[in-house]
Amino acid sequence: MAKIKSRSAFDKELFKRSVLYNIKTLYRRTLEEATPQQIYQAASLAIKDQIIDYWMDTQKALEEQDPKIVYYMSMEFLMGRAFGNNLINLRAYEGVGEVMDELGVDLNLIEDQEPDPALGNGGLGRLAACFLDSLASLNYVAYGCGIRYKYGMFRQEIHDGYQVEKPDDWLANGNPFELRRQEYAKEIKFGGYVKMYQDENGRTMFKQEDYQAVKAIPYDLPVLGYGNDVVDTLRIWDAEPINNFQLDSFDKGDYQKAVEQENLAKQICEVLYPNDNHIAGKELRLKQQYFFISASVQTAVQKYLKNHDDIKKFYEKNVFQLNDTHPTVAVAELMRVLMDDYYLEWDEAWDITTKTCCYTNHTIMAEALEKWPQDLFQRLLPRIYQIVEEINRRFNIEIVNRYSNDPKVSIDEKIRKMAILYDNQVRMAHLAIVGSHSVNGVAKLHTEILEKRELKDFYEMMPEKFNNKTNGITQRRFLMHANPLLANWCTKKVGDGWITDLTVLSGLKKSADTAKAQKEFMAIKKKNKERLARYILQHNGIQIDPDSIYDCQVKRLHEYKRQLLNILHVIYLYDKIKTDPKFDMPKQTFIFGAKAAAGYRIAKLTIKLINSVADVVNDDPDVDGRIKVVFIEDYRVSNAELIFAAADVSEQISTASREASGTGNMKMMLNGAVTIGTMDGANVEIVKEVGEKNAFIFGLSSDEVIEHERKNDYDPMSIYTKDAVIKKTVDRLIDGTFSKDKELFRPLWNSLLNTKDTSKADTYFILKDFHSYADAQARVRKAYEDKAGWAKMAMLQTACCGKFSSDRTIEEYVKDIWHLDKIKV
Ligand code: 26Q
């Protein structure tokens, strides 16, 4: 494929003048007088100036070339900082660095002025951000549709070892890259009732009456493609009151309503729900969902009709990708718009809707399956509820038709398992599957589990909808920006083709055996380890040794991700050091970073445990620096980049079958970290790419986990009583070693051994996998002692991760599901 290159090189002089001019007009200051924050603002506006031209050109190309468009609908976009990333994709990073040098300004310091836009929890939100980067870089037109939360993911502080949540006021200094698009505001209606009437043609019409409305205002953020002048759009919606209510309104009903509407508008976009893989069935969350979906769907239809006259062909030019079930009301909202606003019949509208919508599943965790109480749903969205009822009625008929001649099948059973409305609940996953023409999982294993178990009945009935799209990550942020030393080295070795085609890195394989390349690779790793050590010294006050093994587990805190297994193993090593004078090990630093959902007790206590273990182990003279434990406060995209670049060992130790894919695993692999992990999610595919001997795999397989659950035959208590090592290690939680209050960590001990309800003991198989994990860790330590062997293994991680670029993932979505056309700007 011919590469489409940027038309213009970055103009350094223009940029410099523009920065100085902005500082003057914005702040009435000279460069010398300006604060780093002011320089950041001024530089961002200078960059935005350039971006706007490309943005307008992309719009023009869109109108002329009329390609098919994808709308990526997501409650979360975890974009991370924009400034540095925009420079990278404009191919202006070096140029701006030089200008800053000339001005005597440190570019890193300027980048650090930007708050991390954290409009997402973790994997699902970050995936959306990587996808936008790839879509723009591959010359596709895409709109990310989401919410402009006033407060994003909370800022985490650690007080006395405990997580404390602080508001993330990311807009405090404004956002220099955003554009408020008041002229595209939409009205969103909640509540009231549906009036039915006949229009002049005798057609039955539906009208929502006595509702509360809010105004949705879009803010556009540019999403730059890499070096191709394409600028896509992330459109996030804010809510405002419809009419600033008038205090002279003395009608009691009006006054009441005006106050309520104003409050509704204030609440909707206030804050991101900080839950990951867990549903908080809150009414406000459903309001958020309908709010941004209604605004986005109305926009998409109106935009299409500006340049096309046949609404029935809407799906030929538009596709909606639903990022998990959170945006699923889009199915019913599109039906509503097509029928109520554009007068289509049910069958026509349904044909368009199912051809437009596609659904991605990101989890099999039961507690993450989205269900809404029917009465709440109906009260809040009366017209949408009617439509869902009708979709459900027709789907149930389909089930009857399909299975009524099959004597082996109980229809009641099928309806119980598959209906959209059942038990007074609205099951969003079922609505998403029925309303879409594509249902995909996010890694091979995950998709297989969906087909064989979780969504088995749907797969049987509509196998053609199901497909896999293994996740990926963008190398522009997670290698180029996160690790410039390694990025430059790769370019020196294999050329810069990897920036837009990650498989080019396979050219490194032939260097993996040469001593010179090994030395260079490990010298870069060392530099990155020193960079992280400085960050940790500055933020944690802990001195870590850049020559130690950096063993990193950074991800949301969740029982299924098993941070508890990791820290139990640290406790086990600590015991060994204390009791076995002959035990020797290379220095190892265990680095954790994780936020726990604010109401997740066990997760928060795990954070406290990690910090308590750190306090005891780090200061124990017997340990003599062989083990260090570090908990990095406020894990987020910006410090993640430092960690990925510095990691030697990548901890991917979820209970097999639970992690749908994982993407941190790919980011660490890209930066040369070796995986210690279970055969779960995308780890399976990582091992396949890099080879079994270059990964440290342990633990139950997903089939074994699922089989134990089916038979209900797992008994952690018998392991505990029979296995002295495990007993000793687990009892450390309650013997006062890590807290004066021996009962403090009892809930963690109980989660492993629940003596009251044994069916709830160790549901994540930590004790079962413990020895296998400790063995794998011993193999890691042994492998690390062989310097050349380790260097080769590390280099092969980078060389073999071509498959895990989100560019590959996006091209698969395009080929199998979206069928987009490339544009040329
Ligand atoms: C739902 C309702 C109410 C409040 C919160 C939520 C909610 C929010 C976020 C439910 C789930 C999430 C996030 C899920 C998530 O991040 N899943 C991860 O998706 C990644 C991208 O596909 C995968 O790599 C991870 O394996 C998966 O855990």
Side-chain angles (χ1 to χ4, degrees):
M1 196 202 337
K3 272 213 202 88
I4 305 160
K5 284 266 162 116
S6 176
R7 60 177 173 184
S8 52
F10 174 68
D11 185 337
K12 275 170 56 180
E13 277 314 308
L14 181 66
F15 173 73
K16 193 196 245 172
R17 277 203 306 279
S18 172
V19 172
L20 295 173
Y21 177 82
N22 288 345
I23 292 176
K24 188 175 97 183
T25 54
L26 285 171
Y27 307 110
R28 209 198 64 187
R29 287 193 172 177
T30 63
L31 176 71
E32 292 68 33
E33 293 164 341
T35 64
Q37 174 65 220
Q38 291 172 334
I39 300 174
Y40 157 71
Q41 294 282 344
S44 296
L45 290 178
I47 292 297
K48 185 186 183 183
D49 222 31
Q50 297 219 345
I51 293 174
I52 297 267
D53 286 335
Y54 298 148
W55 215 353
M56 291 169 80
D57 292 348
T58 303
Q59 280 303 315
K60 197 158 153 254
L62 168 60
E63 269 166 33
E64 284 166 11
Q65 297 164 42
D66 194 28
K68 189 173 176 185
I69 302 173
V70 63
Y71 288 88
Y72 199 81
M73 311 272 192
S74 178
M75 291 283 280
E76 308 191 7
F77 288 90
L78 221 185
M79 300 298 283
R81 289 175 175 159
F83 183 71
N85 201 248
N86 286 341
L87 296 186
I88 293 254
N89 283 6
L90 285 171
R91 294 191 297 184
Y93 197 85
E94 274 180 30
V96 167
E98 287 161 19
V99 171
M100 291 296 172
D101 275 350
E102 291 164 24
L103 297 174
V105 175
D106 175 3
L107 179 56
N108 282 321
L109 180 70
I110 298 308
E111 282 192 58
D112 276 339
Q113 298 307 309
E114 182 179 359
D116 263 51
L119 307 185
N121 273 283
L124 165 147
R126 183 55 231 179
L127 185 76
C130 285
F131 280 3
L132 292 185
D133 181 89
S134 287
L135 278 159
S137 296
L138 293 164
N139 290 68
Y140 296 115
V141 178
Y143 284 84
C145 303
I147 296 174
R148 185 174 179 268
Y149 300 105
K150 178 147 183 258
Y151 297 100
M153 188 62 203
F154 63 78
R155 205 161 43 74
Q156 179 193 55
E157 288 182 5
I158 302 295
H159 294 184
D160 184 30
Y162 290 98
Q163 166 176 296
V164 175
E165 301 93 22
K166 291 286 164 80
D168 161 50
D169 194 4
W170 72 293
L171 291 167
N173 292 317
N175 180 358
F177 290 105
E178 75 183 6
L179 277 185
R180 182 185 157 98
R181 312 298 299 275
Q182 210 154 356
E183 63 274 32
Y184 298 114
K186 296 281 173 286
E187 191 183 49
I188 316 297
K189 299 173 183 172
F190 295 98
Y193 64 94
V194 180
K195 192 175 93 180
M196 227 168 79
Y197 64 96
Q198 311 284 319
D199 72 2
E200 60 273 22
N201 304 320
R203 212 187 111 114
T204 308
M205 300 300 294
F206 300 87
K207 195 157 181 263
Q208 197 169 342
E209 298 267 15
D210 202 20
Y211 52 82
Q212 288 186 357
V214 299
K215 195 159 57 170
I217 311 265
Y219 286 73
D220 286 354
L221 291 166
V223 178
L224 280 68
Y226 178 80
N228 63 357
D229 298 351
V230 172
V231 181
D232 282 336
T233 304
L234 171 57
R235 174 162 282 189
I236 50 181
W237 297 88
D238 190 15
E240 285 183 12
I242 279 276
N243 47 344
N244 284 337
F245 73 88
Q246 284 137 27
L247 288 168
D248 60 353
S249 159
F250 283 103
D251 182 308
K252 198 166 156 250
D254 280 359
Y255 180 78
Q256 186 71 18
K257 195 176 155 179
V259 175
E260 281 170 10
Q261 286 202 156
E262 170 123 351
N263 283 336
L264 179 62
K266 275 193 194 130
Q267 285 170 17
I268 286 187
C269 300
E270 188 69 6
V271 62
L272 164 78
Y273 277 90
N275 297 11
D276 179 284
N277 279 301
H278 184 83
I279 298 299
K282 293 282 194 315
E283 180 167 341
L284 181 60
R285 169 88 179 178
L286 186 56
K287 286 181 187 161
Q288 291 182 336
Q289 295 182 349
Y290 184 66
F291 167 77
F292 94 99
I293 286 300
S294 179
S296 305
V297 169
Q298 291 182 52
T299 305
V301 171
Q302 286 165 17
K303 185 176 171 66
Y304 169 78
L305 285 175
K306 245 175 68 187
N307 297 317
H308 305 83
D309 43 27
D310 189 357
I311 185 73
K312 287 178 198 159
K313 292 184 177 165
F314 180 76
Y315 63 88
E316 289 183 5
K317 292 291 178 187
N318 300 280
V319 53
F320 296 171
Q321 189 68 38
L322 310 180
N323 201 18
D324 215 298
T325 51
H326 321 153
T328 296
V329 286
V331 170
E333 176 67 3
L334 183 54
M335 287 296 287
R336 183 190 72 75
V337 169
L338 294 175
M339 295 189 303
D340 296 358
D341 297 351
Y342 296 96
Y343 312 112
L344 294 188
E345 299 293 332
W346 181 278
D347 288 327
E348 296 168 330
W350 185 244
D351 180 62
I352 296 166
T353 298
T354 52
K355 282 177 172 161
T356 301
C357 295
C358 319
Y359 157 60
T360 303
N361 175 293
H362 295 266
T363 186
I364 66 154
M365 303 284 293
E367 68 262 37
L369 284 181
E370 202 177 1
K371 298 179 182 121
W372 292 102
Q374 217 162 295
D375 49 355
L376 163 75
F377 196 99
Q378 182 168 21
R379 178 166 53 74
L380 198 65
L381 310 172
R383 177 63 182 135
I384 293 298
Y385 181 76
Q386 282 184 336
I387 292 169
V388 173
E389 251 184 342
E390 181 61 13
I391 296 173
N392 180 60
R393 191 185 69 79
R394 288 172 184 243
F395 179 55
N396 287 355
I397 293 172
E398 232 183 280
I399 295 177
V400 173
N401 290 344
R402 166 71 193 260
Y403 289 108
S404 57
N405 292 326
D406 191 337
K408 297 188 295 293
V409 173
S410 147
I411 300 269
D412 286 350
E413 177 79 356
K414 281 281 172 200
I415 289 188
R416 178 180 70 72
K417 281 157 72 182
M418 297 170 80
I420 297 164
L421 298 176
Y422 202 85
D423 252 359
N424 295 314
Q425 291 190 311
V426 186
R427 306 199 287 206
M428 300 306 270
H430 297 193
L431 177 59
I433 298 168
V434 173
S436 301
H437 66 281
S438 166
V439 175
N440 76 280
V442 289
K444 258 193 199 125
L445 177 69
H446 170 61
T447 302
E448 274 166 32
I449 294 174
L450 291 179
E451 291 175 354
K452 279 206 226 113
R453 302 175 205 273
E454 259 22 71
L455 302 176
K456 181 165 179 278
D457 296 288
F458 289 97
Y459 180 61
E460 247 175 47
M461 196 169 159
M462 35 190 115
E464 71 289 346
K465 287 189 184 182
F466 283 72
N467 64 93
N468 174 248
K469 295 287 166 283
T470 298
N471 284 165
I473 57 166
T474 169
Q475 64 268 32
R476 268 86 57 187
R477 181 178 288 273
F478 291 107
L479 184 54
M480 255 188 122
H481 187 262
N483 195 345
L485 295 175
L486 186 58
N488 289 335
W489 182 81
C490 289
T491 297
K492 214 178 72 199
K493 286 277 172 196
V494 297
D496 67 0
W498 62 269
I499 300 170
T500 50
D501 175 6
L502 197 61
T503 62
V504 167
L505 288 185
S506 67
L508 296 172
K509 281 182 197 165
K510 62 180 190 296
S511 304
D513 268 315
T514 67
K516 181 167 169 280
Q518 290 174 0
K519 257 183 127 168
E520 290 169 357
F521 192 89
M522 293 315 285
I524 289 168
K525 184 58 89 179
K526 177 83 178 283
K527 283 235 160 66
N528 288 318
K529 289 167 80 171
E530 287 164 355
R531 181 174 71 163
L532 182 61
R534 285 195 298 276
Y535 178 91
I536 287 172
L537 184 60
Q538 199 181 357
H539 291 81
N540 297 58
I542 300 175
Q543 184 87 55
I544 64 171
D545 182 351
D547 285 319
S548 65
I549 304 173
Y550 281 19
D551 179 302
C552 304
Q553 186 172 20
V554 288
K555 49 184 80 245
R556 283 304 289 262
L557 213 140
H558 209 296
E559 284 166 283
Y560 85 81
K561 296 180 187 282
R562 299 200 295 191
Q563 282 93 351
L564 184 55
L565 173 60
N566 186 344
I567 198 70
L568 279 173
H569 170 255
V570 174
I571 293 172
Y572 156 85
L573 283 181
Y574 177 60
D575 254 328
K576 255 173 118 81
I577 287 176
K578 296 288 276 185
T579 55
D580 178 359
K582 289 193 307 260
F583 177 67
D584 193 26
M585 60 176 279
K587 279 188 170 181
Q588 198 162 356
T589 305
F590 295 92
I591 295 169
F592 293 84
K595 288 180 183 175
Y600 192 171
R601 249 183 69 248
I602 290 283
K604 292 177 107 172
L605 193 57
T606 306
I607 292 177
K608 171 65 178 167
L609 175 65
I610 294 167
N611 283 306
S612 299
V613 172
D615 287 343
V616 171
V617 171
N618 294 350
D619 286 343
D620 189 326
D622 293 347
V623 173
D624 193 22
R626 276 174 287 180
I627 305 177
K628 282 266 160 89
V629 179
V630 176
F631 187 92
I632 293 186
E633 197 175 54
D634 201 29
Y635 175 60
R636 60 193 188 280
V637 177
S638 58
N639 59 19
E641 292 183 28
L642 304 177
I643 299 165
F644 295 139
D648 292 306
V649 178
S650 161
E651 294 268 355
Q652 308 300 337
I653 61 178
S654 54
T655 309
S657 79
R658 295 303 142 88
E659 191 69 272
S661 162
T663 45
N665 45 5
M666 303 168 188
K667 293 162 198 169
M668 294 223 229
M669 180 191 190
L670 179 59
N671 284 278
V674 181
T675 304
I676 180 167
T678 49
M679 279 300 215
D680 199 16
N683 296 354
V684 177
E685 290 159 76
I686 286 179
V687 173
K688 187 159 177 242
E689 292 299 304
V690 78
E692 262 166 74
K693 62 179 198 302
N694 296 311
F696 298 89
I697 298 305
F698 72 94
L700 293 176
S701 69
S702 61
D703 282 339
E704 288 167 333
V705 167
I706 290 166
E707 193 58 12
H708 278 306
E709 287 176 335
R710 196 182 62 79
K711 294 211 249 138
N712 193 17
D713 66 352
Y714 173 50
D715 177 15
M717 187 52 95
S718 80
I719 298 183
Y720 171 83
T721 47
K722 283 184 207 136
D723 186 321
V725 171
I726 285 187
K727 178 167 191 313
K728 189 174 169 203
T729 307
V730 172
D731 283 348
R732 285 281 178 231
L733 297 176
I734 51 166
D735 73 355
T737 306
F738 300 110
S739 82
K740 278 197 218 102
D741 171 8
K742 290 188 182 178
E743 292 306 303
L744 180 62
F745 297 119
R746 175 74 69 178
L748 294 175
W749 190 94
N750 278 340
S751 78
L752 297 171
L753 293 161
N754 196 327
T755 45
K756 285 203 201 92
D757 180 356
T758 46
S759 74
K760 292 212 178 85
D762 196 15
T763 41
Y764 298 101
F765 299 88
I766 288 176
L767 301 190
K768 182 86 182 162
D769 277 350
F770 182 84
H771 282 297
S772 164
Y773 178 58
D775 285 351
Q777 281 282 6
R779 284 185 276 136
V780 167
R781 291 194 300 272
K782 188 149 184 295
Y784 194 77
E785 307 226 288
D786 167 13
K787 274 196 152 178
W790 186 272
K792 176 178 173 184
M793 207 192 301
M795 205 188 308
L796 284 174
Q797 309 297 321
T798 306
C800 295
C801 77
K803 172 173 176 185
F804 303 107
S805 169
S806 44
D807 297 344
R808 186 268 313 151
T809 313
I810 286 299
E811 291 292 22
E812 287 181 8
Y813 273 95
V814 168
K815 184 166 148 285
D816 300 342
I817 309 175
W818 299 339
H819 309 294
L820 308 179
D821 315 295
K822 291 204 189 239
I823 58 157
K824 196 168 158 27
V825 177

